[in-house]
Amino acid sequence: MHFQQIPPPEYLKPYVRYYWTLENPDRGDELKTFSAIADGCPGLIFQQLSGTNFYDQDEKKLPACFLYGQATGYRELYTPQQFRQIGIYFQPHALRTVFGLDADALTNNCTDLGGLSRRELFNLPERLLDTRTLQEQIDVLSQYLFYLIQQNTQRIDARTQQIASYIAGARGDVSLPLLQRDLGISERSLERRFREHIGISPKLFARIGRFQAALDRLREGQYDKLSDIAFEYGYADQSHFIRTFREFAGCSPQQFHQQSNELIENFPERMAVKDAKKEKGKIPGLA
């Protein structure tokens, strides 16, 4: 497989972390299994080859071009052996500040951008299909986002952005009661604002941030025992860390190392099929 990560233009950095492309030109009968890990950010995916759409773990065919929201856990996705995709990894607040959506409407869900962009007089899938090079695709995506930002009247609440940025910068190692007290905001008000602007509660956003910090340490391999990571990032014990890892990644830390090929951050290919449901012929349209 071929993977590229591309930085956004300077004017989009407040909204976009990076663009990415993933391509597998090999033909074959087996499905590829990917696991979308909870990471605190929404995203966009355009699937460029006809008939190679993702299917989710509920056997639902995903649109050719879709926007997805926050995930409160992991989800498995399946695709044919041959595929070509381009995606955007957004900042946590982008559903609100770019698309003008209440972020919680897309939590654990996605929406077809084909119909959405046509209503905005900017048919994104059609324009992407008319491109010839990766740079042209990046330019079209950037133009689309800039157009939306210019049209959007929804802006993230400054206090919510301040708290979200602080939690993200601290990798989840924060005291929310202290933050609420220092900023003079109630727990109920903060919860409501976070769900509207980020898509999940501040507590869950912090838990995912702490998990992601521990996952980064696991990726580095600079530890003697798994319990070292658990205690460093505030988990009560190794068992608590493993339970949290399974909740957000769908496997244990050891399985993550043994069974995952993580070309795209938080979107690893699973190398082992767990059950017969994922074998060829079990997902409609791929038999």
Side-chain angles (χ1 to χ4, degrees):
M1 285 193 291
H2 308 299
F3 169 70
Q4 280 186 267
Q5 182 174 312
I6 305 103
E10 197 67 31
Y11 64 90
L12 287 178
K13 285 184 177 178
Y15 309 92
V16 174
R17 292 192 171 185
Y18 56 80
Y19 298 103
W20 58 266
T21 66
L22 184 65
E23 179 178 5
N24 187 40
D26 299 329
R27 293 182 179 273
D29 292 333
E30 294 182 359
L31 294 176
K32 283 192 173 293
T33 303
F34 294 89
S35 184
I37 297 175
D39 58 13
C41 294
L44 180 156
I45 294 178
F46 174 57
Q47 304 176 87
Q48 302 178 62
L49 297 180
S50 177
T52 63
N53 299 54
F54 277 124
Y55 284 78
D56 68 13
Q57 60 197 34
D58 299 321
E59 301 188 356
K60 174 186 175 183
K61 183 179 180 180
L62 300 183
C65 187
F66 63 93
L67 178 70
Y68 63 87
Q70 293 276 2
T72 61
Y74 80 99
R75 289 190 71 82
E76 290 193 337
L77 302 174
Y78 315 105
T79 189
Q81 191 84 3
Q82 185 185 40
F83 59 84
R84 186 168 69 243
Q85 296 151 353
I86 185 168
I88 305 176
Y89 189 35
F90 287 114
Q91 300 288 357
H93 55 77
L95 293 182
R96 185 74 166 184
T97 55
V98 175
F99 297 91
L101 301 172
D102 279 350
D104 59 349
L106 279 185
T107 297
N108 293 322
N109 207 348
C110 67
T111 187
D112 185 350
L113 269 182
L116 186 64
S117 64
R118 281 193 291 273
R119 290 199 301 271
E120 294 156 351
L121 305 180
F122 194 119
N123 193 323
L124 180 63
E126 186 176 284
R127 294 200 187 189
L128 286 171
L129 287 172
D130 286 340
T131 59
R132 296 182 180 179
T133 67
L134 173 59
Q135 187 56 56
E136 288 179 352
Q137 289 182 327
I138 297 298
D139 291 342
V140 166
L141 287 168
S142 297
Q143 292 164 13
Y144 174 63
L145 297 180
F146 184 71
Y147 169 79
L148 292 181
I149 292 166
Q150 294 296 104
Q151 298 295 314
N152 185 16
T153 59
Q154 299 290 338
R155 292 291 179 264
I156 191 168
D157 173 77
R159 188 168 293 180
T160 305
Q161 176 60 44
Q162 181 182 7
I163 295 175
S165 297
Y166 183 82
I167 293 173
R171 307 301 300 272
D173 185 17
V174 296
S175 169
L176 288 173
L178 285 178
L179 272 178
Q180 292 159 200
R181 186 195 66 187
D182 292 344
L183 294 172
I185 185 171
S186 70
E187 179 181 2
R188 183 176 179 180
S189 177
L190 181 61
E191 175 102 7
R192 174 180 57 79
R193 294 183 187 189
F194 247 75
R195 291 191 182 279
E196 289 177 358
H197 294 277
I198 307 297
I200 52 179
S201 71
K203 182 178 179 180
L204 181 54
F205 188 68
R207 286 187 65 223
I208 292 174
R210 183 170 62 161
F211 157 73
Q212 282 289 327
L215 177 57
D216 283 346
R217 185 66 180 275
L218 185 73
R219 289 173 176 133
E220 294 169 359
Q222 302 298 315
Y223 61 93
D224 293 326
K225 305 183 297 296
L226 201 59
S227 58
D228 295 341
I229 299 179
F231 293 133
E232 180 177 354
Y233 291 99
Y235 293 98
D237 51 37
Q238 181 173 316
S239 296
H240 183 203
F241 174 51
I242 292 173
R243 286 196 301 272
T244 300
F245 204 98
R246 287 186 182 276
E247 176 185 356
F248 292 136
C251 62
S252 70
Q254 183 179 16
Q255 289 170 328
F256 183 84
H257 264 317
Q258 294 175 345
Q259 301 177 0
S260 299
N261 177 26
E262 194 180 27
L263 290 177
I264 302 178
E265 184 180 19
N266 298 313
F267 194 62
E269 178 192 359
R270 286 288 161 81
M271 308 305 292
V273 175
K274 293 181 183 177
D275 57 59
K277 179 182 177 181
K278 301 166 191 173
E279 295 175 358
K280 179 181 179 292
K282 296 299 183 182
I283 296 180
L286 297 179

